[in-house]
Amino acid sequence: EYRSRNMLELPPHIFAIADQAYCSMRDRNMDQCIIISGESGAGKTEASKLVMQYIAAVSGRGLEVDRVKEQLLQSNPVLEAYGNAKTNRNDNSSRFGKYMDIEFDFKGDPVGGIISNYLLEKSRVVSQAEGERNFHIFYQMLAGSSSDVLQMLHLEREVFSYPYLSGCSYVLSMDDEKSFHATTKAMEVVGFSPDEISISLELLAAILNLGNVKFEGYHLPNGTDACKLNNVKYVSYACDMLGCSQQLLSQCLTHRSFETRRDLVMKPLSASEGSYVRDALCKAIYNRLFSYVVKRINDSIKVKTRAKRKAMGVLDIYGFEVTESNSFEQFIINYCNEKLQQVFIELTLKSEQEEYIREGIEWEHIDYFNNATICELIEHPHKGIMAMLDDECLRPGEATDETFLRRINQKCLEHPHYQSRAMKKFRNDQTLGREEFRLIHYAGKVTYNTNGFLDKNKDFLFKDLSEAMFACERKLLRELFPEGDPVLKTLKRPPTAATQFKSSVSQLMKNLLSKNPNYIRCIKPNDSKESRNFNDSLVQHQTRYLGLIENIRVRRAGFAFRQLYEEALTRYKMLSAKTWPKWKGRPKDGVKEIMKACGRRAPGDYSMGRTKVFVRHPRTVFDMEKRRTLRMQDIVTLIQKTYKGWHQWRLYQRMRQAQITISSNYRGYVLRTRYQQMREAAIVIQKYCRGWQARVELRRLKFIVRATWAVGIIRKWFYGWKARKLYRQMRYAIKYEAAAIVIQKYYRGWKVRAEHRTKFKNIAGPLIADFMWRAVCCNFLMDLAENLPSDSPLDRRWPYVSWLFEDASAYLQKIHHKWRCKKIRDSYNSNPSRKRRMMEKARASALFRGKKSLYEKTIGIPFKVDRIGLRNDARWMKLVAQTNEQRVVWADNAQKVNRSDGKKTPMVLVVTGASLMVLEPKHWGLKYRVELSHISCVSLSSFSDCIFIIHVDPVQSRSMRDPSYAKGDFMFQNPNVIEMVTKIHAVIRESFRKKLEVKIDNEVCANFKPGDNPVQIRFHHSITSDTSSPVCKRRGGALQITV
């Protein structure tokens, strides 16, 4: 009913205020706050609940939104259980101030919030007035917890078993058992874990058990008052709940420590002081537990994202209180109500009248009561009551409540809103005690008793108790009592309760002034808490001191609505044809055109200020809003029409484009189908035509084949007949020709023999024998030429020959081998580098063949000069500049074997034309340099290891003053040891014309350090060892190498 409706259209209701604030925040991006004020018991808490319920009902829906709304709503039962209590004026009175900022997204959906609490009445934990109760959570816990839980908490269900809960134990309007289950469920919804709920109940149980602790006083021999604990079991129960040492807590309740420069002094406490310390501890635990509950609720409902948000604040703070005995708590509460009343006056009565004058509107001033002087009396930085109360608490010397009263009497005696027995006209006033003073608040006179003002303002907890709580096993207590940490010990005094509350109220006022305020004034109808019973005098008194009468007079005489010209023109420009859609003149003239179009006349209906337009009657605003709604409907219809036309045009364009696409694709499909059909038909025709042609060709080819076959048969038979005929003729001719030849042969032979019979044996015989021998030799040489071996000198094959040619064959085999060797030599002479490598391989063969097992594995591996890229490295160039040795014979990484323990160290070996250099591997710095002429011998083992020993001639090294002589012989390990030794052997042979001795033996004697005894090096072959990594061990004067 009240949703999105003007608040003046329907009867007044909290929903109307909430809807106006919500719509202004959502539609106009104006942060709002709803200030709920009134006396205690007037219904402020219920009003805040209705505001929350309305916001939850009208805002959006969604899984996350519903979760946030449920948490915001369920935070109320938790805060009421821990912060509300029954008083004589109200069964559910808020004993703390609450300000909740609800944050919304751009759509108006709640996304989170934050709660600020102000001044919990913690004194209610230990004492209550007659007919009042402690906080609800204590009674709910005893009534709603199961027997097992109560037994675990060391509690009894009977309320009167606990002095802190004595008095009124039952309230007709409440069911503590159901409320407890609702509270625990609400805590789970808000985000409390079962462990956190259990810990909070344990702390509450500890407070009740501490309340049962009794103190018995006695006197020490030196006359000092002391006390002891009577019922120790309750201390044990409390320590069990707190996780604290019973001895430590007992000592803190009966003694107080003082630190001097040298010692720690323990002072015993009297019985009354022990009770005070116990109550102070219980109040501190509950107060900090309540702050922790608020903090946990804030952690659950706070906004997690950083997006831009809108806010609506709801202020539900304790109302103005006047009791039979008003103390420090009532003084603070009434001060807060004075500040709220000041905000109300500033934002309504004062600011509105000042605005009329500022805007140049004719206005007759309406008098009202301004409570700024009362606020100044209380909060003035130097002369205010709060400032003097803090000074009394902090000044050295004996400061009591009486000295505080005397001081404010001296400073405030002349103030018109202050009364005391120190004033002459109130000396005989029996309603005003000698320890009391009276303030005339905006709501009436209130008499305050100064007893306990200083102690409550100090809000001081002995450091022994803080340290004891910090030492408890419960992690929550360490969080609640951080000042008990010995590491963070400080001598700085904590701020007083009045200072803290004044700062909180000041921050609250700034927050309220930064938002657009909305007011809900709660009027208490009677003091008997009865429905439908109005006490006229009580209601009139409240409406008078709340300033409602002056506010109504200002509203009636003033204007119901005002707005800046720019904002009014933006909101209502569619009501005039001249201002729609865009006004190009001054905003003020545009607003006049709008009013003229609506039929409104000035000054009866509205007035024009300097920057704002003021509308007098709400009906004018209703009419303009109604016109705007109708016009907005027309505009929306136009927008819808235009959009729908554009949408249909876009749809038509899309359909047309789709039709074109479909048509083109269809035509393409038809043509492709037709083409495929024609192509397939052509293929079929081609297939049959080619088949016919192939069959014709096949028949032709078959005919040709058959004709060819027939011709062949005919020719075969013809040629056969012809050949047989020719054969018969030739056979006949040969037969007769052979007979003729034989006859001729024999005849001619006879004739020759007849003529030469005497000379044949002497001449023809040797010629025939020589011819036959030459023919046999020619056949031998021809067969040998066809079966010669390959050109490789290693090929030992030779063809088998007859015994007649064995000598010739051996001689020819030698000639053939020499020819092959000459051919190889000619190829090496044409390539010098290849010749050099071959000579190195030949030298290696001469040195190691048949002597070192590793040699056979290195035959097929070509020798290299530089295996580490030495020549192109800048570090080598730098070293060349120092040593002037540019020729590199061989370079590779190696490992130097330590002479003492056989450990291996990476090194770089470089052999130049004149020396052997040992370089460190990282920067290639020169560690050792040995002249090649000083190397007398190189020793190796016969196994497959890669270790070699370079023996340095001590005589030559000493004569040349070689710095490497002090190191003696060297032992290295390198996988290319065959190559390295061959290179050194060759360069020494070429450069120094001497032969380097290469000793291959499994026992070698080396002199690693001149002057010391030689070291015997023994090589031992092990079948299980890894030959690639020999193991070197030093044993006495011998070095054993297992390979």
Side-chain angles (χ1 to χ4, degrees):
E1 182 180 359
Y2 285 88
R3 184 174 183 177
S4 300
R5 300 287 296 273
N6 194 292
M7 66 178 298
L8 300 177
E9 295 182 27
L10 297 173
H13 199 280
I14 292 175
F15 291 163
I17 298 292
D19 183 75
Q20 182 189 22
Y22 177 74
C23 293
S24 298
M25 178 210 63
R26 182 192 62 191
D27 300 337
R28 301 186 181 183
N29 292 325
M30 297 172 59
D31 289 345
Q32 304 288 319
C33 67
I34 300 177
I35 302 175
I36 306 174
S37 59
E39 285 190 1
S40 177
K44 299 183 297 300
T45 302
E46 296 301 321
S48 66
K49 291 181 183 178
L50 291 175
V51 171
M52 298 286 293
Q53 292 172 5
Y54 183 82
I55 293 173
V58 300
S59 56
R61 294 289 185 271
L63 184 62
E64 182 64 20
V65 174
D66 291 342
R67 184 190 67 81
V68 173
K69 290 194 291 187
E70 184 66 17
Q71 286 186 338
L72 291 174
L73 292 175
Q74 291 300 323
S75 64
N76 280 327
V78 179
L79 294 177
E80 286 184 11
Y82 282 87
N84 288 20
K86 177 192 178 302
T87 64
N88 291 324
R89 291 171 170 253
N90 186 5
D91 290 346
N92 189 28
S93 177
S94 297
R95 308 318 299 163
F96 72 103
K98 179 183 70 174
Y99 177 74
M100 175 182 286
D101 254 335
I102 308 173
E103 297 184 339
F104 300 81
D105 60 10
F106 68 98
K107 298 178 295 184
D109 296 335
V111 294
I114 187 168
I115 299 173
S116 302
N117 62 301
Y118 303 95
L119 189 67
L120 177 72
E121 187 188 7
K122 59 184 178 180
S123 61
R124 183 171 293 273
V125 175
V126 298
S127 64
Q128 308 91 36
E130 185 178 355
E132 296 186 355
R133 295 207 314 175
N134 207 324
F135 292 100
H136 293 327
I137 188 62
F138 290 105
Y139 305 92
Q140 294 176 4
M141 177 179 63
L142 295 179
S145 299
S146 64
S147 300
D148 294 337
V149 174
L150 290 178
Q151 184 177 1
M152 182 191 69
L153 298 176
H154 305 295
L155 295 178
E156 300 176 5
R157 200 173 298 276
E158 185 60 40
V159 174
F160 292 101
S161 300
Y162 303 99
Y164 282 171
L165 306 182
S166 61
C168 180
S169 62
Y170 183 73
V171 181
L172 294 176
S173 60
M174 293 184 179
D175 187 340
D176 292 327
E177 183 177 357
K178 291 183 179 179
S179 299
F180 178 73
H181 297 306
T183 300
T184 53
K185 183 178 179 180
M187 293 178 74
E188 292 175 356
V189 172
V190 169
F192 284 83
S193 65
D195 291 340
E196 291 174 330
I197 297 176
S198 177
I199 291 175
S200 63
L201 295 180
E202 290 175 355
L203 295 184
L204 296 175
I207 292 173
L208 293 181
N209 283 312
L210 284 175
N212 286 348
V213 175
K214 303 298 181 184
F215 296 87
E216 181 181 353
Y218 64 94
H219 298 286
L220 294 175
N222 58 1
T224 305
D225 292 334
C227 67
K228 64 181 180 178
L229 304 176
N230 276 343
N231 39 4
V232 183
K233 69 173 183 177
Y234 291 108
V235 179
S236 175
Y237 294 160
C239 291
D240 188 21
M241 295 296 99
L242 298 175
C244 177
S245 169
Q246 181 177 349
Q247 180 181 0
L248 176 61
L249 184 60
S250 300
Q251 183 178 3
C252 293
L253 293 176
T254 56
H255 293 77
R256 182 183 178 185
S257 64
F258 295 91
E259 289 187 5
T260 63
R261 292 184 178 180
R262 298 181 180 179
D263 301 322
L264 180 66
V265 180
M266 299 296 295
K267 174 190 175 184
L269 301 176
S270 63
S272 60
E273 291 174 340
S275 299
Y276 173 80
V277 169
R278 176 202 61 193
D279 293 345
L281 176 61
C282 293
K283 289 188 292 184
I285 293 175
Y286 191 84
N287 183 45
R288 301 185 188 201
L289 175 62
F290 180 76
S291 300
Y292 168 76
V293 170
V294 175
K295 176 180 175 295
R296 281 291 293 112
I297 294 175
N298 286 334
D299 292 340
S300 298
I301 65 176
K302 69 180 180 181
V303 182
K304 306 298 188 299
T305 61
R306 296 184 178 181
K308 186 177 181 181
R309 302 181 294 271
K310 310 170 188 177
M312 177 187 292
V314 179
L315 177 63
D316 174 20
I317 205 163
Y318 17 57
F320 195 87
E321 287 193 358
V322 182
T323 62
E324 294 182 1
S325 178
N326 302 293
S327 185
F328 178 76
E329 291 82 6
Q330 284 70 35
F331 174 74
I332 292 295
I333 290 172
N334 293 338
Y335 161 68
C336 180
N337 280 270
E338 287 284 356
K339 294 295 291 184
L340 291 176
Q341 180 67 13
Q342 186 181 16
V343 170
F344 174 74
I345 292 171
E346 290 287 339
L347 296 179
T348 56
L349 302 177
K350 182 179 179 181
S351 63
E352 187 166 351
Q353 296 190 75
E354 290 177 351
E355 184 179 23
Y356 293 148
I357 298 173
R358 186 170 60 252
E359 291 289 333
I361 304 297
E362 294 184 4
W363 177 257
E364 183 179 351
H365 183 73
I366 297 176
D367 294 330
Y368 59 90
F369 173 73
N370 192 344
N371 68 333
T373 180
I374 303 176
C375 295
E376 185 179 1
L377 171 64
I378 298 174
E379 66 178 4
H380 192 277
H382 303 292
K383 301 179 181 179
I385 296 176
M386 283 187 174
M388 288 184 282
L389 179 60
D390 288 344
D391 291 344
E392 284 296 312
C393 292
L394 301 178
R395 75 175 178 85
E398 188 68 25
T400 61
D401 297 326
E402 290 78 8
T403 60
F404 163 66
L405 181 60
R406 285 199 299 270
R407 184 168 183 179
I408 60 175
N409 285 335
Q410 294 174 0
K411 299 291 184 180
C412 306
L413 204 60
E414 303 298 328
H415 199 281
H417 294 274
Y418 178 81
Q419 296 177 1
S420 172
R421 290 289 290 267
M423 303 174 66
K424 291 183 179 180
K425 59 181 178 180
F426 296 107
R427 286 179 181 175
N428 297 323
D429 189 353
Q430 299 301 322
T431 61
L432 191 62
R434 296 190 179 279
E435 70 280 0
E436 297 176 343
F437 66 93
R438 183 181 296 152
L439 296 180
I440 304 175
H441 291 281
Y442 75 96
K445 298 179 181 180
V446 181
T447 302
Y448 298 100
N449 192 322
T450 58
N451 288 335
F453 257 61
L454 265 64
D455 290 338
K456 293 177 180 179
N457 187 45
K458 290 178 182 178
D459 194 22
F460 182 67
L461 185 68
F462 291 160
K463 69 177 183 64
D464 299 337
L465 294 174
S466 298
E467 293 176 355
M469 293 300 101
F470 187 82
C472 292
E473 296 178 358
R474 299 286 186 269
K475 294 182 179 180
L476 178 59
L477 287 173
R478 295 188 177 186
E479 183 180 346
L480 299 182
F481 293 87
E483 73 276 9
D485 189 355
V487 179
L488 304 178
K489 186 179 294 185
T490 178
L491 299 177
K492 183 179 179 181
R493 290 187 178 182
T496 62
T499 301
Q500 295 180 30
F501 187 75
K502 181 180 176 182
S503 176
S504 301
V505 170
S506 176
Q507 187 64 33
L508 175 63
M509 296 302 114
K510 291 180 181 179
N511 198 356
L512 295 178
L513 292 174
S514 65
K515 296 179 174 61
N516 185 45
N518 300 270
Y519 298 96
I520 297 177
R521 295 294 200 177
C522 297
I523 305 297
K524 188 175 182 180
N526 56 76
D527 288 330
S528 56
K529 295 185 283 188
E530 296 178 358
S531 61
R532 301 183 182 279
N533 179 11
F534 284 85
N535 187 331
D536 293 342
S537 60
L538 179 62
V539 172
Q540 289 177 6
H541 174 70
Q542 294 177 74
T543 55
R544 187 176 296 109
Y545 76 70
L546 288 175
L548 299 182
I549 296 176
E550 292 85 354
N551 190 21
I552 293 173
R553 289 175 60 195
V554 171
R555 288 292 181 181
R556 283 184 175 180
F559 297 87
F561 178 79
R562 73 215 62 192
Q563 198 170 27
L564 293 172
Y565 291 130
E566 293 80 2
E567 296 177 0
L569 179 62
T570 302
R571 185 168 182 81
Y572 300 108
K573 63 182 178 180
M574 70 287 299
L575 301 183
S576 174
K578 296 181 179 180
T579 58
W580 179 259
K582 187 175 181 180
W583 174 256
K584 297 182 179 180
R586 293 191 308 165
K588 183 175 182 179
D589 298 334
V591 174
K592 285 183 180 180
E593 293 294 335
I594 294 172
M595 290 297 184
K596 192 183 297 182
C598 294
R600 301 300 171 183
R601 298 179 181 179
D605 293 330
Y606 69 94
S607 293
M608 306 295 287
R610 293 186 176 89
T611 61
K612 296 180 181 180
V613 57
F614 292 84
V615 180
R616 186 173 299 278
H617 303 295
R619 61 176 177 272
T620 303
V621 181
F622 298 160
D623 179 67
M624 294 178 67
E625 287 292 333
K626 185 177 181 180
R627 290 171 181 263
R628 182 180 181 274
T629 303
L630 296 175
R631 181 59 180 155
M632 288 295 290
Q633 293 177 0
D634 296 338
I635 294 174
V636 169
T637 303
L638 178 61
I639 295 173
Q640 288 179 345
K641 178 181 69 175
T642 305
Y643 172 76
K644 289 178 180 178
W646 173 83
H647 181 69
Q648 292 298 325
W649 177 81
R650 289 287 299 169
L651 182 61
Y652 163 74
Q653 292 294 331
R654 291 171 62 187
M655 293 175 64
R656 179 175 176 272
Q657 188 64 33
Q659 186 272 334
I660 293 172
T661 303
I662 293 171
S663 299
S664 63
N665 290 333
Y666 178 73
R667 286 194 292 269
Y669 165 74
V670 171
L671 292 176
R672 284 192 298 273
T673 303
R674 185 177 300 172
Y675 165 74
Q676 290 293 336
Q677 292 175 353
M678 294 175 64
R679 184 174 179 273
E680 291 175 0
I683 291 172
V684 172
I685 294 171
Q686 289 178 351
K687 179 178 69 173
Y688 281 101
C689 180
R690 290 170 181 168
W692 172 77
Q693 291 177 350
R695 287 190 294 274
V696 171
E697 183 67 19
L698 179 62
R699 286 195 295 270
R700 189 181 68 82
L701 293 175
K702 285 183 177 180
F703 174 77
I704 294 173
V705 170
R706 287 196 296 270
T708 305
W709 176 79
V711 169
I713 295 298
I714 295 170
R715 289 179 63 187
K716 181 180 71 173
W717 284 102
F718 172 75
Y719 286 134
W721 169 79
K722 192 175 181 180
R724 284 192 298 273
K725 182 180 179 181
L726 181 61
Y727 173 72
R728 285 193 297 269
Q729 293 175 356
M730 290 178 64
R731 186 178 179 184
Y732 179 79
I734 290 173
K735 182 178 179 181
Y736 287 96
E737 184 180 357
I741 292 172
V742 170
I743 293 172
Q744 288 178 358
K745 179 179 70 171
Y746 278 101
Y747 172 75
R748 290 172 182 167
W750 171 80
K751 190 175 182 179
V752 170
R753 284 191 299 272
E755 293 177 357
H756 302 283
R757 188 176 299 275
T758 58
K759 300 178 182 180
F760 179 78
K761 292 182 180 181
N762 297 324
I763 299 173
L767 291 175
I768 292 172
D770 183 62
F771 173 78
M772 294 297 293
W773 175 250
R774 287 178 180 274
V776 172
C777 290
C778 182
N779 290 334
F780 162 69
L781 293 175
M782 294 298 292
D783 292 339
L784 186 62
E786 292 177 358
N787 297 297
L788 285 175
S790 64
D791 293 342
S792 174
L794 301 178
D795 192 356
R796 299 296 184 180
R797 293 182 298 105
W798 191 255
Y800 173 76
V801 296
S802 174
W803 60 274
L804 296 172
F805 304 104
E806 285 182 354
D807 295 337
S809 177
Y811 184 71
L812 290 173
Q813 185 179 3
K814 292 180 181 180
I815 294 173
H816 182 264
H817 181 69
K818 291 181 179 180
W819 172 79
R820 290 189 299 183
C821 292
K822 182 178 183 302
K823 189 176 180 181
I824 295 292
R825 287 195 299 274
D826 292 342
S827 66
Y828 280 116
N829 290 332
S830 63
N831 191 345
S833 61
R834 186 178 178 189
K835 181 179 180 181
R836 185 181 68 254
R837 288 196 297 270
M838 192 62 191
M839 291 177 67
E840 289 176 347
K841 284 292 184 179
R843 181 175 285 107
S845 175
L847 291 175
F848 299 104
R849 185 176 182 180
K851 301 177 182 179
K852 178 118 177 121
S853 300
L854 185 64
Y855 170 73
E856 302 295 336
K857 301 178 181 179
T858 63
I859 293 175
I861 302 175
F863 287 176
K864 293 183 179 180
V865 175
D866 186 3
R867 291 185 175 273
I868 58 175
L870 183 77
R871 297 173 178 174
N872 299 325
D873 197 293
R875 296 173 292 181
W876 172 249
M877 298 301 179
K878 182 178 179 181
L879 189 60
V880 167
Q882 296 176 0
T883 60
N884 198 21
E885 295 187 19
Q886 296 185 356
R887 180 189 174 193
V888 178
V889 177
W890 182 82
D892 195 4
N893 292 315
Q895 290 183 319
K896 180 178 178 296
V897 181
N898 196 334
R899 64 177 180 269
S900 60
D901 53 6
K903 292 185 178 180
K904 301 170 185 177
T905 305
M907 293 291 177
V908 176
L909 291 183
V910 180
V911 179
T912 65
S915 63
L916 169 67
M917 296 184 183
V918 182
L919 311 180
E920 58 93 11
K922 186 174 182 180
H923 302 291
W924 289 5
L926 181 62
K927 292 187 69 68
Y928 310 108
R929 181 176 178 274
V930 181
E931 295 287 342
L932 294 179
S933 59
H934 298 172
I935 298 176
S936 60
C937 179
V938 177
S939 299
L940 302 93
S941 72
S942 61
F943 303 120
S944 297
D945 63 284
C946 303
I947 295 178
F948 61 95
I949 300 99
I950 295 178
H951 300 274
V952 181
D953 189 353
V955 177
Q956 293 186 9
S957 297
R958 190 181 299 111
S959 63
M960 297 296 293
R961 297 181 180 180
D962 190 351
S964 63
Y965 170 73
K967 300 297 290 186
D969 298 341
F970 294 90
M971 182 163 60
F972 297 98
Q973 178 179 345
N974 182 269
N976 302 307
V977 61
I978 302 297
E979 178 182 284
M980 188 266 182
V981 174
T982 303
K983 295 276 188 180
I984 293 179
H985 187 275
V987 72
I988 291 177
R989 184 69 173 268
E990 294 173 2
S991 300
F992 303 104
R993 303 297 180 184
K994 76 173 186 176
K995 182 178 179 181
L996 175 66
E997 181 183 0
V998 178
K999 183 179 181 181
I1000 298 177
D1001 195 354
N1002 294 335
E1003 289 191 8
V1004 181
C1005 185
N1007 189 5
F1008 290 116
K1009 187 175 182 181
D1012 292 350
N1013 295 327
V1015 177
Q1016 194 73 19
I1017 302 175
R1018 298 187 182 92
F1019 291 89
H1020 171 69
H1021 183 265
S1022 174
I1023 299 176
T1024 59
S1025 65
D1026 185 8
T1027 57
S1028 63
S1029 180
V1031 179
C1032 303
K1033 293 183 179 180
R1034 179 72 180 264
R1035 295 182 178 177
L1039 184 64
Q1040 183 173 348
I1041 301 175
T1042 305
V1043 298

